[in-house]
Amino acid sequence: MGISTIDAGMVKKAFLAGAKGLEAKKDWINELNVFPVPDGDTGTNMTMTIMAAAKAVAELEDPDMEQLAKAISSGSLRGARGNSGVILSQLLRGFTKEIQGTASIDVTILANAMVRGTETAYKAVMKPKEGTILTVAKGMADKAIEMAAQTDDIEIFAKAVIEEGDYVLSQTPEMLPVLKQAGVVDSGGQGLMQVVKGAFDGLTGKCSDFSFEDAGILKPSSEKTPQSAGASRTDIDTADIRFGYCTEFIIKLEKEYSQKDEDELKKYLGSIGDSLVVVSDDEIVKIHVHTNHPGLAFEKGLTYGSLSRMKVDNMREEHEERVIQDSERLAKEQAAQPNPAEEETGERKPYGFITVSCGDGLSEIFKGIGADYLIEGGQTMNPSTEDMLNAIKKVNADHIFILPNNKNIIMAANQARDLTEDKEIIVIPSKTVPQGITALVNFIPDLTPEENLENMTAEMERVQTAQITYAVRNTSIDGMKIHEGDIMAIGDHGMLAVDTSVLGAAKAALEAMLNEDSELVTIYYGSDVTEADAEAFRKQAEEEFPDKEIELQYGGQPIYYYMISAE
């Protein structure tokens, strides 16, 4: 005899089995990602999302349906990482809203819950794309409604729904050409199928009881944690350097600039730094200053016109070399320290800035241009919604701008925004670190939050970005054959070049990116590139593109040898 109803205890067992089923296949799901980059992507993100919920569920001893629904919804929402994780959390959120007021679930409630989950997930995505996890979820929800009218047996119902999900998943390459090129199905859809199949196995007794040890859940200490932009490094002797950042920029004058204005500008810059040089003509003013607050210098410059040729060099880098070389030890020490207090610190201010950063050099740049709080992460570790919420708690401001700097983090930032009630959260949809830097530099205090959102977004969209990394498997993308170990140049809209050397791929990226409108090129070199090699690349770029301004910055990002921006 089949199963006609499911109580809260059975739902708990099925959910935990679904989490275990996903975790068991996460590496395989990661390998389905279209771009063969070395990252923690779909499988990892979905697993960490559902494990956050699984932890909350496992702690409930004898829950009713309402307690269970709350644990699943809240745990997955706060633990959501990456686009796939956020979509999974929304599927679970909608599903649990439908079941939370029931004592037991039959096929009709189950079908309605699947429909509601799918509708909730579609609403969360600004531009839903077919051929993804959403399509697989919708296919199963439609089949669920059909089967609910044909049978009361949940086993028969579930088998038909799973069969339909597998079929829709198999068709995703026909819906998305990029999947067909790579010869894979959608990774998010595959992840969802592992959850559903695991849940069915748990429901029917084919799966052993859940345990975090068996599932290999990541301990909190292994995750990267946010750090305050104002955190001090007490083991670095920088006492001899009074002002740490060599700051240069050009103001393109947009209003009358008198001798009185120049004197005022010099007085202000002198109050926040030294080694001041101000040179002007009828159209531009060139600034050089050593300061601890480059962002304040940029903000002052914006009162006279628009900025270009912005450059910030950390003069304490020699002292920080020891920290970079010993980063593993420092990370362990920081992880062993107690978490900072949840309460906000400092006086309330109108605006605050949270940014995601993926390297010590990039973090210093963000601090210098005004970031209040840094969340460590990026392509190799997408921060969760919970990470965003914790950062929001630390920034004592009425309006807080979040810069995700990765397209796979934007949805988690939006979810944190929607969960915050006591502050206005504005998410700038920056997809790369260079976009985030440009957006933050173009913040204007005199504008409203809405005007800044529009202005910062418009300015960052002028930035082109290329990222140079290595392939972790064989594939074919945008007509380019890629072999494991090849060096790829990935642009904003796809693959720019594939080469056997880092320098070859980086040079090819510049050739593909630059045009007659490009003026400023900034090269951020990563932790796996020596300063000498980076400088040699910069000189070659200058020789090949003599009409462009080529700047070199230490980014310190892992995995990506270079990040290159052009504007």
Side-chain angles (χ1 to χ4, degrees):
M1 188 173 178
I3 304 171
S4 59
T5 59
I6 308 171
D7 62 19
M10 296 169 75
V11 172
K12 176 182 176 180
K13 183 174 182 180
F15 179 75
L16 293 177
K20 186 175 182 180
L22 174 60
E23 199 283 333
K25 297 289 186 179
K26 73 175 185 293
D27 293 335
W28 172 54
I29 294 167
N30 280 338
E31 291 174 2
L32 296 176
N33 292 321
V34 172
F35 280 95
V37 293
D39 62 11
D41 206 357
T42 307
T44 301
N45 285 335
M46 293 182 74
T47 297
M48 296 185 77
T49 298
I50 203 167
M51 284 302 178
K55 183 177 181 182
V57 168
E59 290 172 353
L60 299 174
E61 295 214 0
D62 187 21
D64 58 27
M65 203 73 78
E66 187 171 349
Q67 293 171 323
L68 195 57
K70 183 177 179 181
I72 294 172
S73 179
S74 178
S76 61
L77 283 172
R78 290 177 171 272
R81 295 174 185 268
N83 293 343
S84 55
V86 171
I87 292 172
L88 177 60
S89 74
Q90 292 295 322
L91 288 168
L92 293 171
R93 180 188 180 199
F95 186 96
T96 54
K97 277 189 176 181
E98 192 68 24
I99 69 170
Q100 63 186 2
T102 66
S104 62
I105 300 172
D106 59 17
V107 291
T108 301
I109 295 173
L110 196 53
N112 290 339
M114 293 180 71
V115 170
R116 189 164 181 177
T118 300
E119 290 174 347
T120 303
Y122 265 89
K123 288 176 183 176
V125 180
M126 187 174 295
K127 295 180 180 179
K129 187 179 292 185
E130 297 306 328
T132 66
I133 182 176
L134 292 172
T135 309
V136 177
K138 187 176 186 302
M140 286 194 289
D142 290 343
K143 188 66 175 180
I145 293 294
E146 178 188 327
M147 291 303 300
Q150 297 179 19
T151 181
D152 294 330
D153 190 319
I154 290 178
E155 285 193 54
I156 295 173
F157 168 94
K159 286 178 181 178
V161 168
I162 290 171
E163 184 178 345
E164 180 67 14
D166 280 337
Y167 171 73
V168 175
L169 178 64
S170 72
Q171 297 305 299
T172 55
E174 303 303 320
M175 303 176 204
L176 281 178
V178 68
L179 296 177
K180 195 166 188 176
Q181 284 185 34
V184 296
V185 296
D186 178 67
S187 55
Q190 186 68 74
L192 179 60
M193 291 309 303
Q194 294 309 128
V195 173
V196 175
K197 289 176 180 179
F200 181 70
D201 286 345
L203 187 65
T204 55
K206 297 177 183 176
C207 177
S208 59
D209 288 341
F210 177 91
S211 76
F212 286 108
E213 289 75 16
D214 290 342
I217 188 171
L218 296 177
K219 301 290 191 297
S221 62
S222 71
E223 297 181 25
K224 296 180 179 179
T225 54
Q227 69 176 44
S228 166
S232 62
R233 290 173 172 170
T234 56
D235 60 339
I236 302 174
D237 181 12
T238 56
D240 293 334
I241 302 176
R242 185 181 175 195
F243 297 103
Y245 298 94
C246 176
T247 305
E248 297 179 354
F249 58 98
I250 291 175
I251 305 171
K252 294 182 180 179
L253 295 171
E254 295 177 352
K255 63 180 183 180
E256 183 177 349
Y257 180 79
S258 63
Q259 185 60 49
K260 182 180 178 180
D261 293 321
E262 181 160 307
D263 292 341
E264 179 192 355
L265 178 59
K266 288 180 178 178
K267 182 179 179 181
Y268 177 81
L269 294 174
S271 72
I272 63 169
D274 62 11
S275 300
L276 178 63
V277 177
V278 179
V279 180
S280 62
D281 62 17
D282 293 337
E283 296 181 351
I284 67 169
V285 180
K286 184 171 178 60
I287 306 293
H288 173 280
V289 62
H290 291 177
T291 178
N292 288 329
H293 303 286
L296 295 179
F298 290 147
E299 285 184 16
K300 186 64 175 178
L302 283 167
T303 64
Y304 298 96
S306 59
L307 307 187
S308 66
R309 307 293 192 270
M310 291 167 286
K311 183 179 180 183
V312 179
D313 288 330
N314 182 3
M315 297 186 297
R316 296 183 174 96
E317 273 191 358
E318 286 185 12
H319 300 279
E320 293 185 338
E321 282 300 315
R322 176 161 51 91
V323 176
I324 296 168
Q325 293 168 2
D326 204 19
S327 59
E328 290 186 1
R329 177 182 60 81
L330 285 174
K332 290 178 182 178
E333 289 176 1
Q334 290 170 359
Q337 294 175 356
N339 290 329
E342 291 295 316
E343 293 78 16
E344 303 158 333
T345 57
E347 293 183 9
R348 188 83 165 188
K349 57 183 183 177
Y351 294 107
F353 303 92
I354 296 169
T355 183
V356 178
S357 182
C358 58
D360 52 347
L362 296 173
S363 294
E364 292 297 332
I365 292 171
F366 276 120
K367 291 176 190 178
I369 59 177
D372 295 288
Y373 207 91
L374 302 177
I375 300 176
E376 204 174 331
Q379 191 68 15
T380 54
M381 176 58 76
N382 296 155
S384 67
T385 299
E386 182 75 26
D387 292 333
M388 301 282 181
L389 291 170
N390 288 337
I392 290 168
K393 289 179 184 177
K394 304 296 193 305
V395 178
N396 193 5
D398 297 319
H399 312 280
I400 300 175
F401 290 82
I402 299 181
L403 298 137
N405 303 330
N406 186 297
K407 66 181 181 181
N408 211 32
I409 302 175
I410 294 173
M411 287 188 71
N414 287 337
Q415 193 151 274
R417 174 198 62 200
D418 296 341
L419 292 171
T420 301
E421 297 178 353
D422 60 333
K423 302 170 184 175
E424 182 185 17
I425 308 300
I426 304 100
V427 178
I428 305 296
S430 52
K431 296 179 180 179
T432 65
V433 167
Q435 280 191 348
I437 291 172
T438 298
L440 187 50
V441 164
N442 282 280
F443 170 78
I444 301 174
D446 293 337
L447 298 182
T448 66
E450 294 74 20
E451 289 170 336
N452 265 305
L453 171 60
E454 182 178 354
N455 179 62
M456 294 165 76
T457 301
E459 289 297 323
M460 78 177 189
E461 286 177 347
R462 297 191 302 106
V463 178
Q464 295 185 74
T465 306
Q467 301 181 90
I468 315 301
T469 188
Y470 58 91
V472 295
R473 62 180 177 277
N474 300 336
T475 188
S476 177
I477 300 174
D478 296 335
M480 301 181 189
K481 292 284 187 182
I482 301 171
H483 300 94
E484 183 178 347
D486 281 351
I487 307 300
M488 305 176 296
I490 303 172
D492 295 320
H493 305 291
M495 197 69 64
L496 296 177
V498 178
D499 203 282
T500 56
S501 72
V502 172
L503 183 59
K507 289 171 66 176
L510 284 179
E511 292 171 1
M513 292 170 65
L514 301 187
N515 54 47
E516 60 182 13
D517 295 326
S518 306
E519 295 181 358
L520 175 65
V521 176
T522 305
I523 301 169
Y524 303 91
Y525 65 97
S527 56
D528 293 327
V529 177
T530 66
E531 183 177 359
D533 285 345
E535 178 60 27
F537 172 40
R538 185 193 66 80
K539 287 182 178 179
Q540 289 187 35
E542 278 186 335
E543 293 172 3
E544 189 167 348
F545 302 98
D547 60 328
K548 314 297 183 189
E549 180 90 11
I550 311 289
E551 294 183 347
L552 183 66
Q553 297 271 12
Y554 170 67
Q557 69 275 4
I559 306 299
Y560 290 87
Y561 301 108
Y562 292 108
M563 290 183 181
I564 305 171
S565 71
E567 54 184 301

